[in-house]
Amino acid sequence: LSVVGIIPAGGSGERLGASGPKAFAVLAGKPMLEWSLEALAGLCERIVVAVPAGFEDPPDRVRGGPSRSESVRNALAAAPEATVAVVHDAARPLVTRELVERCLSELGELEGAIAAAPVTDTVKEGEDGRVLRTLDRSRLWSVQTPQVFRADALRRALETDPGRLAAATDDASLVESAGGTVRLVEAPPENLKVTTPLDMRIAEAILGSRC
Ligand code: CTP
Ligand code: MG
């Protein structure tokens, strides 16, 4: 097996509002991207990072696309040797090596294995500000990254039009629509996504309490 890490880090981080792209904003002493690189290193033969224009200098950095899925596709295209792809957002710096290992080991013969946490809020479906129905929370999962795939299944799933790629909020949904079977791997809710300045403060506090 050739396990390759794919890190989409090509977003601008508009909601964070830092002076540069989110993946390079300093978090607990180093650029946010570094935390994910450290968690994946040792489990991946190579890690290809999709970055914003102007950040492509180091090896294994490729230009991101206009949407997250297109960034994933660009990075995967740079690793034709990959048989297993570990996709992980730079925006989830709290990922642990242990979680990546569990996703890899649960892949088995399936097309995908993804980190996810059981939903703790009650979730309702609404329209025009009115409740249509209350969903059965016991069946709902809040999905994160890492998302581990058979590389071929992910490549095929990403061969779709830019509109569908832009609408996809994760990679697993594309693999699912292509007929792939994806396993849910229970992850700690602590593996949060840094979106806003408040998330930065929470992430700093968690990382600070780890060492
Ligand atoms: N991403 C990417 N290419 C894009 C858009 C997003 O590689 N065209 C990456 C981001 O860098 C991030 C992950 O996808 O690691 C999840 O996206 P998000 O948290 O939305 O980050 P940003 O798009 O950078 O933030 P914002 O939406 O606030 O601008
Ligand atoms: Mg975004």
Side-chain angles (χ1 to χ4, degrees):
L1 288 185
S2 173
V3 179
V4 173
I6 301 292
I7 301 190
S12 58
E14 215 165 292
R15 290 168 289 179
L16 183 63
S19 52
K22 181 163 73 180
F24 300 94
V26 174
L27 172 72
K30 51 190 165 198
M32 191 181 305
L33 169 64
E34 293 296 324
W35 293 97
S36 296
L37 287 170
E38 281 174 20
L40 267 63
L43 296 169
C44 301
E45 279 164 34
R46 261 175 83 193
I47 303 174
V48 183
V49 186
V51 292
F55 289 80
E56 306 98 322
D57 279 347
D60 280 342
R61 299 275 168 99
V62 303
R63 173 91 67 104
S67 66
R68 181 190 173 284
S69 302
E70 287 167 280
S71 292
V72 170
R73 194 181 54 187
N74 290 358
L76 190 57
E81 80 281 16
T83 58
V84 171
V86 177
V87 184
H88 181 68
D89 285 347
R92 289 191 189 268
L94 296 169
V95 65
T96 58
R97 179 190 163 97
E98 191 262 332
L99 180 57
V100 179
E101 274 172 332
R102 267 198 298 129
C103 291
L104 279 166
S105 72
E106 301 233 0
L107 181 62
E109 298 301 307
L110 302 177
E111 281 74 32
I114 63 175
V119 166
T120 52
D121 287 327
T122 295
V123 181
K124 295 183 193 288
E125 194 178 327
E127 199 175 69
D128 303 325
R130 287 179 68 153
V131 173
L132 288 179
R133 62 183 67 83
T134 302
L135 303 179
D136 176 5
R137 187 176 69 189
S138 68
R139 293 163 56 87
L140 297 177
W141 293 79
S142 190
V143 163
Q144 312 172 351
T145 65
Q147 299 197 346
V148 172
F149 302 100
R150 305 243 147 257
D152 278 345
L154 181 58
R155 284 188 192 99
R156 276 195 300 275
L158 288 165
E159 274 169 24
T160 183
D161 59 279
R164 282 195 60 223
L165 287 180
T169 52
D170 76 343
D171 307 295
S173 59
L174 296 167
V175 171
E176 293 152 29
S177 348
T181 302
V182 177
R183 185 188 297 280
L184 293 160
V185 178
E186 188 163 348
E190 160 179 323
N191 182 30
L192 60 84
K193 183 155 87 79
V194 174
T195 306
T196 64
L198 173 65
D199 300 326
M200 266 314 244
R201 286 164 55 198
I202 298 170
E204 295 246 1
I206 297 172
L207 288 169
S209 70
R210 270 187 194 169
C211 26

